[in-house]
Amino acid sequence: QKEVEQNSGPLSVPEGAIASLNCTYSDRGSQSFFWYRQYSGKSPELIMSIYSNGDKEDGRFTAQLNKASQYVSLLIRDSQPSDSATYLCAGNSQGAQKLVFGQGTRLTINP
Amino acid sequence: NAGVTQTPKFQVLKTGQSMTLQCAQDMNHNSMYWYRQDPGMGLRLIYYSASEGTTDKGEVPNGYNVSRLNKREFSLRLESAAPSQTSVYFCASRLREAAQPQHFGDGTRLSIL
């Protein structure tokens, strides 16, 4: 079982709607989580970090963490065609020396 | 502020040739990483260096070697390139504390014929 799981998609969302991306993890010791956006042919770019249970908002992005249920989610409000990309979820256990990445979810925003 | 710099950006090799991919970071990060990314496979960790002077295998180390030259530089070497090593290679770095994210370079697109 992979330590971080994501639905590979593709996930198709109409422009202006809310895109919801989900990630589950198996290591209960995981303390910090990150969402990366990767455009086709480009490198992963950090868009959100979350460390505590609850919601964290940054502009149109909201990250949600539920440690009891071991899931992390990313909501994108007012989705734009420029949000079309692959979104990678990553987790890190306390003291662990590396991040564990999910496979990524490919998101397409339809005009 | 350049961040993580990878060279070269593109390379074509013939089977059996050797090659070193270079990575340098200017963020004073302790830890550095090499990944490969193939279509539909996500990021796979090849090797990492938690701190200067240490290196460890990731999930796909076979066919590769690494050198942590100093705190800034971490190189990846293919001793005898094989077509299965055709991929996009990303270098990343981070501060060693667990709460810190990784920052990626722009990648090296490597084709082995």
Side-chain angles (χ1 to χ4, degrees), chain A residues 86-108:
Chain A
T86 295
Y87 289 81
L88 300 166
C89 171
N92 197 121
S93 299
Q94 187 175 12
Q97 297 171 340
K98 57 188 186 293
L99 296 184
V100 179
F101 285 85
Q103 293 282 79
T105 298
R106 187 155 54 95
L107 173 66
T108 300

Side-chain angles (χ1 to χ4, degrees), chain A residues 2 31-32 34 36 38 40-46 49 51 86 88 92-104, chain B residues 31 33 35 37 40-43 45 48 50 56-59 90 94 96-107 109:
Chain A
K2 282 189 67 67
Q31 298 282 329
S32 45
F34 309 97
Y36 288 81
Q38 186 175 23
S40 181
K42 301 294 186 182
S43 62
E45 170 194 14
L46 179 70
S49 304
Y51 308 105
T86 295
L88 300 166
N92 197 121
S93 299
Q94 187 175 12
Q97 297 171 340
K98 57 188 186 293
L99 296 184
V100 179
F101 285 85
Q103 293 282 79
Chain B
S31 303
Y33 307 83
Y35 293 89
Q37 188 174 41
M41 297 292 292
L43 289 166
L45 182 64
Y48 67 101
D56 285 284
K57 294 178 180 179
E59 56 181 303
F90 290 107
R94 66 190 281 247
R96 198 154 107 186
E97 288 72 18
Q100 299 302 311
Q102 289 177 185
H103 299 267
F104 287 83
D106 289 340
R109 281 148 185 80

Side-chain angles (χ1 to χ4, degrees), chain B residues 3-4 7 13 20 33 40 57 65 74 76 82 109:
Chain B
V4 180
T7 54
L13 294 177
T20 299
Y33 307 83
K57 294 178 180 179
N65 285 301
F74 188 39
L76 178 72
R109 281 148 185 80

Side-chain angles (χ1 to χ4, degrees), chain A residues 4 15 20 25-26 42 46 48 52 58 62-63 68 79 81 89 104 110:
Chain A
V4 176
E15 184 176 357
S20 177
Y25 61 94
S26 59
K42 301 294 186 182
L46 179 70
M48 290 288 286
S52 305
D58 184 0
T62 299
S79 298
C89 171
N110 299 307

Side-chain angles (χ1 to χ4, degrees), chain B residues 53-99:
Chain B
T54 69
T55 59
D56 285 284
K57 294 178 180 179
E59 56 181 303
V60 288
N62 291 344
Y64 305 95
N65 285 301
V66 290
S67 295
R68 183 73 183 268
L69 304 170
N70 48 54
K71 190 173 186 179
R72 289 187 63 247
E73 299 173 286
F74 188 39
S75 63
L76 178 72
R77 184 162 177 83
L78 287 69
E79 290 291 351
S80 179
S84 61
Q85 294 177 304
T86 293
S87 189
V88 179
Y89 291 85
F90 290 107
C91 178
S93 70
R94 66 190 281 247
L95 287 171
R96 198 154 107 186
E97 288 72 18

Side-chain angles (χ1 to χ4, degrees), chain A:
Chain A
Q1 180 188 3
K2 282 189 67 67
E3 296 179 42
V4 176
E5 298 264 10
Q6 292 182 258
N7 187 324
S8 61
L11 176 64
S12 186
V13 173
E15 184 176 357
I18 296 175
S20 177
L21 303 160
N22 300 308
C23 170
T24 59
Y25 61 94
S26 59
D27 183 358
R28 284 199 170 273
S30 296
Q31 298 282 329
S32 45
F33 298 88
F34 309 97
W35 282 99
Y36 288 81
R37 177 176 62 200
Q38 186 175 23
Y39 291 117
S40 181
K42 301 294 186 182
S43 62
E45 170 194 14
L46 179 70
I47 55 172
M48 290 288 286
S49 304
I50 187 164
Y51 308 105
S52 305
N53 274 329
D55 296 0
K56 179 182 177 183
E57 188 174 318
D58 184 0
R60 295 186 297 110
F61 298 97
T62 299
Q64 299 175 317
L65 173 59
N66 184 321
K67 291 187 178 181
S69 300
Q70 295 179 246
Y71 80 77
V72 191
S73 62
L74 180 69
L75 303 178
I76 306 174
R77 290 183 300 281
D78 188 23
S79 298
Q80 304 296 310
S82 59
D83 295 325
S84 297
T86 295
Y87 289 81
L88 300 166
C89 171
N92 197 121
S93 299
Q94 187 175 12
Q97 297 171 340
K98 57 188 186 293
L99 296 184
V100 179
F101 285 85
Q103 293 282 79
T105 298
R106 187 155 54 95
L107 173 66
T108 300
I109 307 300
N110 299 307

